[in-house]
Amino acid sequence: MTIDSPAPGETRYYLTYSGVKLPFNLVTPLGAGEVENRNTYFKGYFDADRLLGFDKMVYGEVELAHRYAYHDTGALKRAEITDIDGDTTVLEFADISEPGLNGKTS
């Protein structure tokens, strides 16, 4: 599977993730040299500390990819999830900080 990397940003490597909410929380950082002999790891793309997306690498191939976009408020706006077969699911999220979307009028 070939997925474009988000750009610009910094690439960081992780052993796994925690939680089930989007965006995923990548945990257990790895150095670039530590992934050379690993069968599975996560390659995260960041803009400062905000996760723009990641690739789950398995035996050198992308098995799963997430790409994220954010509202100006920092809330998740869009998630594109591509599976091992290349099928992509797109999820759109409202900015709940906007008036009227969270029960508040202003």
Side-chain angles (χ1 to χ4, degrees):
M1 167 176 30
T2 302
I3 305 293
D4 292 333
S5 301
E10 177 185 356
T11 301
R12 300 179 206 160
Y13 303 95
Y14 293 85
L15 181 60
T16 190
Y17 68 92
S18 66
V20 293
K21 285 177 44 176
L22 296 174
F24 278 11
N25 180 35
L26 300 180
V27 296
T28 314
L30 299 168
E34 293 179 273
V35 300
E36 292 174 4
N37 295 317
R38 293 201 64 80
N39 295 331
T40 303
Y41 63 93
F42 290 81
K43 186 177 183 180
Y45 307 101
F46 291 83
D47 179 13
D49 287 327
R50 183 167 55 183
L51 181 62
L52 301 175
F54 70 82
D55 297 329
K56 178 181 180 184
M57 304 300 296
V58 179
Y59 294 105
E61 300 290 329
V62 178
E63 182 175 273
L64 175 71
H66 282 213
R67 299 294 181 261
Y68 302 123
Y70 297 87
H71 291 281
D72 290 340
T73 60
L76 186 63
K77 179 178 184 177
R78 178 182 174 99
E80 294 181 10
I81 303 167
T82 305
D83 66 21
I84 193 169
D85 296 322
D87 296 328
T88 300
T89 301
V90 177
L91 303 170
E92 301 278 348
F93 301 92
D95 186 351
I96 61 170
S97 68
E98 292 179 15
L101 292 179
N102 61 359
K104 296 180 181 176
T105 57
S106 61

